[in-house]
Amino acid sequence: MVGVTGRPSPEWTAPERVARPEDLDPRLLRLTGRTGRLQVVVEHYVPGAGRCPACGWPVLRRQECPSRQIAVCLLDGRPRPVRLAHLAEVIPGARTGRDTAAERDEQRRIEDGLLGLFTAPARAPERGQP
């Protein structure tokens, strides 16, 4: 077969949709505690392809919902995926790169002060700190 390439024809490719702040779950746009973030992850769980049941975002896999990805990153304390990096100024508590121990302590102090379903256990100091 001469002239066949592995790339789709340009007229068949659609531009990738970019997440905007109004596409995200509104709870992520304000300072939320761990309980609120877990609720976002649960509500935006997509068992298969189609649309996210909470925000309607078109997804091929459940990991592709931007609200779910940001909530998981906030829970794990890791930076967001590159395709969501443009939302850095909009989402409170979202990491954009490396942070210092003082920044982490301040963030933990704020999060520990938020109301939740139960009282938070006392935090142990980080490794290497007295």
Side-chain angles (χ1 to χ4, degrees), residues 34-101:
R34 185 168 181 79
T35 304
R37 293 173 187 164
L38 285 171
Q39 190 64 35
V40 170
V41 171
V42 169
E43 289 177 6
H44 290 265
Y45 179 81
V46 183
R51 294 196 174 271
C52 174
C55 65
W57 187 266
V59 295
L60 295 176
R61 296 179 304 273
R62 66 183 172 93
Q63 294 88 354
E64 292 180 354
C65 173
S67 294
R68 184 179 188 281
Q69 285 183 331
I70 290 172
V72 168
C73 289
L74 288 170
L75 286 170
D76 293 345
R78 58 186 163 123
R80 289 172 320 285
V82 172
R83 70 183 191 92
L84 299 173
H86 63 282
L87 299 170
E89 298 83 31
V90 181
I91 302 163
R95 289 183 53 199
T96 55
R98 294 202 173 271
D99 53 357
T100 64

Side-chain angles (χ1 to χ4, degrees), residues 7 18 30 34 41 51 53 76 94 96 104 115 126:
R7 291 177 291 159
V18 177
R30 61 182 189 271
R34 185 168 181 79
V41 171
R51 294 196 174 271
D76 293 345
T96 55
R104 288 192 302 271
L115 297 176
E126 288 189 29

Side-chain angles (χ1 to χ4, degrees), residues 31 33 105-116 120 123:
L31 190 62
D105 288 341
E106 178 64 20
Q107 181 65 26
R108 288 180 183 141
R109 188 186 62 72
I110 291 169
E111 289 177 353
D112 286 346
L114 296 173
L115 297 176
R123 290 189 186 268

